Amino acid sequence: MKSTALVPRLLLFVLFILSAQLANAQIAYTLHGTAAVANYPYAPLKPGFGAGAKLFITSYFAVGIAAKYTALGYKHKQSSSSIITNTGSLIPITTTADLYLAKGPVRPYMGLEAGAYFHSLKTDVEGNGSYRATYTKLGTAPKLGISFKVNKLSLFAEGSYQFLFGSTNGSVTDQTVKFRWQTPNQP
């Protein structure tokens, strides 16, 4: 009987400790430029931008949300008579968790993002028209970064590798020719 009363008391104590931590929590807002390369062998580096917010639960751990926009695109010569040009964008809307490894003006960190990745694609097949596709995939991105404090502002640099779940490769049959294109699993 006494052991059953211990569980609610222990849960209440944990909630009290967490609420005390959240009372001292700080919020950080982020604006950033991005650059991405899709995992095509012939894909160029493409620019983007993003924004987010983080809640520091402790001085070493933060959770938050982020949204980014990255352009994607490439040209590929599929045969001697056709060139496929893909242009599009990837918009991840994710939750984030960051673990800071040090205190002070220079703070390395590691983290994880997970959420929905909205992909739009326009495919132009030379001499055979244009085709459009949009889809949403779930994904995750482990990341490493470093933050530099400058007065009340912090600058940061981070790198991540995005894993998208599921496959949505495309193909189109136009007249008697079938054109295929690959969509990236790791933009």
Side-chain angles (χ1 to χ4, degrees):
M1 192 112 180
K2 288 184 181 186
S3 64
T4 58
L6 182 61
V7 173
R9 288 180 186 156
L10 187 57
L11 287 174
L12 188 59
F13 178 73
V14 168
L15 288 174
F16 174 75
I17 295 297
L18 285 175
S19 67
Q21 289 291 332
L22 288 176
N24 295 322
Q26 295 181 6
I27 296 177
Y29 300 100
T30 61
L31 292 174
H32 50 273
T34 64
V37 177
N39 65 341
Y40 305 123
Y42 35 79
L45 183 71
K46 293 289 188 171
F49 56 89
K54 293 180 183 183
L55 173 67
F56 281 84
I57 295 174
T58 70
S59 59
Y60 290 98
F61 183 69
V63 295
I65 57 172
K68 299 174 187 167
Y69 169 87
T70 303
L72 296 174
Y74 68 92
K75 279 187 176 185
H76 176 63
K77 189 169 186 174
Q78 182 162 317
S79 67
S80 61
S81 63
S82 66
I83 295 176
I84 296 176
T85 304
N86 278 332
T87 56
S89 64
L90 186 69
I91 302 172
I93 298 178
T94 58
T95 58
T96 65
D98 297 326
L99 179 63
Y100 287 81
L101 305 174
K103 264 190 161 181
V106 178
R107 300 185 72 190
Y109 63 93
M110 60 184 174
L112 183 68
E113 296 184 9
Y117 289 73
F118 301 93
H119 188 257
S120 67
L121 180 68
K122 178 183 175 199
T123 301
D124 293 312
V125 181
E126 187 177 280
N128 287 299
S130 296
Y131 309 93
R132 294 183 185 272
T134 58
Y135 55 87
T136 303
K137 291 183 180 183
L138 295 178
T140 187
K143 61 184 181 175
L144 293 173
I146 189 163
S147 173
F148 305 95
K149 188 168 183 164
V150 181
N151 294 327
K152 293 188 177 205
L153 186 67
S154 289
L155 304 174
F156 70 95
E158 76 178 26
S160 64
Y161 192 81
Q162 298 171 344
F163 296 94
L164 304 184
F165 305 117
S167 176
T168 311
N169 290 334
S171 66
V172 168
T173 302
D174 185 58
Q175 297 162 358
T176 60
V177 180
K178 187 166 189 172
F179 298 96
R180 294 181 177 272
W181 65 87
Q182 183 183 13
T183 58
N185 285 2
Q186 295 85 23

